[in-house]
Amino acid sequence: MNKRFYITTAIDYVNGEPHLGHAYEKVIADVIARARRSLGEEVFYLTGTDEHGQKVQQAAAAEGKDPQAYCDELAARFQALTRVLNLSNDEFIRTTQPRHKRVVTALLNLLHARGELYKAPYRGWYSWKEETFLTERDRRPDGTFDPAWGEVREIVEENWYFRMSRYQHWLVEYLEKNPDFVQPDYRRNEVLGFLRSEALEDLCISRPRARLSWGIPLPFDPDYVNYVWFDALTNYYSLPVALGDAEAARPLGEFYRAEAPPTEAPLRLWPADIHVIGKDIVKFHAVYWPIMLRAAGIPLPRQVLVHGWWQKDGAKMSKTTGNVVDPFAVVADWGADAFRYYVVRELDIGPDGNWTDAGFKARYQAELANGLGNLVNRSLAMLRRYRAGRVPARSGELAAEAGQTAAQLADHWRQNRLQAGLIAIWNLVARANQYVDQTAPFKLAKDPAQAARLDEVLYTLAETCRVLAVMLWPYLPQTAERIFQQLGLTGSPARLSEAAWGGLPPGHTVGEPQPLFPRRD
């Protein structure tokens, strides 16, 4: 059984509505997943929701709701977002699902049996907002804590700890020997800088049930529930185990027994190939998570791919100031592919980005409507007008450029250079539009002696549209499929190998052109 290419997003905390950051992360993971499928790989794409912890318990109480009912409502919104964005995710995991809880319980039992967990008293400062203990390093010079931590109180209590500190030296060595483990490079350097300058402390992995009841109970001490991050990070691993990945489950040994064998053929998923996450949670994914797995004897994921944050009009997005971007509203107004195009074209994976409504409209008009849309529309319209929609004999005037673009794309996709791939495709769009201007088919059509030349031009344009549909599929899947429909093709544009020049058969009849991106005033 072959291992699938396994890609995940961070799971979204259900203490608010989905926003631009959530949508962006899901889109880039989807483009990577589709690109790998386009390259012929079997892919499994996971996203989901993080539903335990203090903030959820408090938010539910504030609304007078049972925590599970509260989570069900918000999880439904995040599941709706996957449909609105036309994501190709294979599964949606929720940390309140029994399948997840069983694996977390097994992992806790395994770590406990291996002596990786211990109980000890703790006195210290606790941020209720961020659900984390703070140290003296978190204090400002005047002794106060940054308001970003919310209410901070000193508490004294016994808790369970994970022996994270003993793995610090191992993790530094691992990051040095595996430079691709955290990408981009500067994020890896940040993690290494932190590990070389600060001593890792053991991680408190429990909260007393008297204070927090909304969580997975510790199987060896039911007076405590599991710390939300220890629970949440495990989702990437719990899903493969729950779906019957025997290799993934093996380290859990006697501590894991599936409730029922999987109904479908078991999958081989673990280790994850890419965890796509935001820059604010790098420490959890590049420090806590690999150490948790190492301590349990579970293979590590292959890469943590870190993206930046979005601003709106140069300012931090905030519900209070109202400068937010609602992905549901944008898609309802402009379409999923326009949204997908803008976020990938505007922001490369890594740096921060800035959403402006004017920038969105400008890209829509210039690149989608006037660039791609106009090319497809006029290519098919001329073929229908001058040849009754019948494809003439093959010609290869743009074959070299198309082949070069396909080769570039494959390379960009394997390196997760999504923005560079989109730029390469649009260079071909621009070249094809330039080709129309240079060859002037509407002039050739007026001269019967130029009929053969007109055939060459019309074939070249129609075939370029077909090739572009194949290249665009990971980014703009609905648009790619609509181009195929307008070309009268019944196959799918979902394989890059189909971008090989000459796939449009002579004598084939194309369909009616429809605007792909209607112009907006």
Side-chain angles (χ1 to χ4, degrees):
M1 187 190 341
N2 287 338
K3 182 196 170 311
R4 293 198 188 187
F5 183 91
Y6 177 34
I7 182 168
T8 73
T9 68
I11 51 173
D12 300 317
Y13 205 43
V14 291
N15 64 335
E17 283 280 316
H19 55 63
L20 174 60
H22 297 126
Y24 171 67
E25 181 169 293
K26 284 169 179 44
V27 167
I28 57 175
D30 189 61
V31 175
I32 293 170
R34 287 178 183 270
R36 293 288 180 154
R37 291 188 188 107
S38 186
L39 291 169
E41 297 182 45
E42 279 196 279
V43 175
F44 194 97
Y45 170 21
L46 176 68
T47 189
T49 44
D50 176 8
E51 301 183 16
H52 289 127
Q54 194 91 42
K55 281 188 273 191
V56 172
Q57 183 174 294
Q58 289 170 339
E63 293 186 22
K65 291 175 181 166
D66 169 74
Q68 188 64 62
Y70 172 86
C71 289
D72 289 346
E73 285 175 24
L74 274 169
R77 288 292 284 163
F78 282 94
Q79 284 175 299
L81 185 66
T82 67
R83 295 187 291 273
V84 162
L85 296 173
N86 193 20
L87 303 184
S88 62
N89 58 299
D90 297 273
E91 266 276 6
F92 189 98
I93 192 164
R94 300 178 56 189
T95 57
T96 51
Q97 289 169 338
R99 62 179 180 175
H100 171 72
K101 293 178 184 176
R102 279 196 293 275
V103 179
V104 171
T105 300
L107 181 62
L108 287 165
N109 274 326
L110 172 65
L111 291 170
H112 186 245
R114 292 178 78 141
E116 297 287 353
L117 307 178
Y118 65 92
K119 197 175 187 180
Y122 177 84
R123 181 189 193 100
W125 300 97
Y126 187 74
S127 159
W128 294 81
K129 177 171 173 274
E130 295 302 325
E131 298 182 51
T132 190
F133 288 103
L134 304 176
T135 67
E136 290 303 314
R137 284 198 303 271
D138 297 305
R139 282 180 184 271
R140 298 192 289 196
D142 64 357
T144 62
F145 290 95
D146 191 294
W149 294 114
E151 183 191 2
V152 176
R153 273 193 247 155
E154 190 176 30
I155 56 177
V156 181
E157 63 187 23
E158 275 211 310
N159 264 311
W160 282 89
Y161 289 84
F162 167 52
R163 298 184 191 277
M164 192 162 72
S165 57
R166 59 164 62 160
Y167 291 97
Q168 182 159 6
H169 179 68
W170 164 80
L171 184 56
V172 169
E173 279 196 346
Y174 187 84
L175 287 164
E176 287 171 344
K177 288 177 183 168
N178 296 275
D180 288 339
F181 181 66
V182 179
Q183 283 293 312
D185 279 345
Y186 53 87
R187 296 294 178 210
R188 172 175 158 269
N189 293 338
E190 285 169 11
V191 177
L192 276 170
F194 160 73
L195 289 168
R196 286 170 181 153
S197 65
E198 295 186 30
L200 267 189
E201 296 176 357
D202 286 348
L203 180 66
C204 178
I205 63 137
S206 69
R207 300 291 183 262
R209 282 187 93 142
R211 175 154 68 79
L212 172 64
S213 58
W214 187 239
I216 299 175
L218 295 190
F220 42 81
D221 194 343
D223 290 337
Y224 292 84
V225 298
N226 197 198
Y227 168 50
V228 66
W229 269 106
F230 210 87
D231 160 10
L233 287 163
T234 306
N235 92 88
Y236 309 122
Y237 172 71
S238 67
L239 195 279
V241 173
L243 292 184
D245 184 336
E247 285 295 307
R250 185 168 286 122
L252 298 176
E254 66 192 280
F255 299 110
Y256 181 75
R257 287 287 173 270
E259 192 166 71
T263 51
E264 295 172 17
L267 301 170
R268 267 209 65 198
L269 298 178
W270 195 259
D273 291 270
I274 300 179
H275 292 319
V276 179
I277 63 156
K279 67 177 186 178
D280 53 323
I281 52 175
V282 173
K283 183 170 77 170
F284 300 102
H285 286 81
V287 179
Y288 295 13
W289 182 226
I291 290 177
M292 284 165 60
L293 292 168
R294 172 74 174 179
I298 298 167
L300 269 58
R302 289 170 182 160
Q303 186 171 85
V304 176
L305 184 62
V306 187
H307 64 78
W309 283 358
W310 282 90
Q311 293 185 318
K312 172 88 192 307
D313 302 323
K316 186 180 176 183
M317 281 191 236
S318 150
K319 275 188 268 191
T320 47
T321 58
N323 68 331
V324 293
V325 176
D326 176 2
F328 290 99
V330 176
V331 172
D333 193 11
W334 296 85
D337 279 0
F339 178 88
R340 290 170 65 107
Y341 178 80
Y342 180 75
V343 294
V344 178
R345 180 62 184 80
E346 189 69 22
L347 181 55
D348 198 12
I349 297 175
D352 289 343
N354 185 40
W355 177 293
T356 67
D357 293 342
F360 180 95
K361 288 170 187 166
R363 284 205 186 278
Y364 179 93
Q365 289 292 108
E367 293 158 33
L368 294 176
N370 297 342
L372 175 66
N374 185 42
L375 173 67
V376 174
N377 201 284
R378 61 180 177 166
S379 297
L380 297 190
M382 287 188 292
L383 187 54
R384 286 173 68 89
R385 188 181 312 135
Y386 304 137
R387 294 294 180 265
R390 282 173 68 81
V391 175
R394 285 188 177 89
S395 168
E397 283 190 272
L398 292 182
E401 288 95 325
Q404 191 179 9
T405 304
Q408 287 172 348
L409 267 185
D411 186 48
H412 288 319
W413 289 349
R414 289 191 181 98
Q415 305 296 322
N416 305 314
R417 294 192 297 256
L418 309 186
Q419 186 192 58
L422 211 44
I423 290 168
I425 295 169
W426 250 259
N427 287 340
L428 184 59
V429 171
R431 176 69 188 94
N433 276 317
Q434 181 193 47
Y435 176 79
V436 177
D437 298 338
Q438 287 170 341
T439 57
F442 36 89
K443 288 183 183 171
L444 296 173
K446 292 172 184 171
D447 183 356
Q450 294 287 348
R453 175 64 185 140
L454 180 59
D455 282 348
E456 289 174 349
V457 172
L458 293 175
Y459 183 88
T460 296
L461 288 172
E463 174 64 356
T464 301
C465 292
R466 188 195 69 81
V467 168
L468 283 168
V470 173
M471 294 174 174
L472 284 166
W473 182 77
Y475 298 96
L476 313 181
Q478 291 166 329
T479 302
E481 281 153 15
R482 286 181 66 203
I483 294 171
F484 254 47
Q485 286 163 8
Q486 292 182 30
L487 284 165
L489 298 171
T490 53
S492 164
R495 282 293 163 93
L496 188 61
S497 57
E498 293 294 314
W501 190 268
L504 200 58
H508 170 79
T509 302
V510 302
E512 178 111 23
Q514 302 285 338
L516 295 172
F517 297 96
R519 287 191 174 81
R520 304 275 294 260
D521 293 327

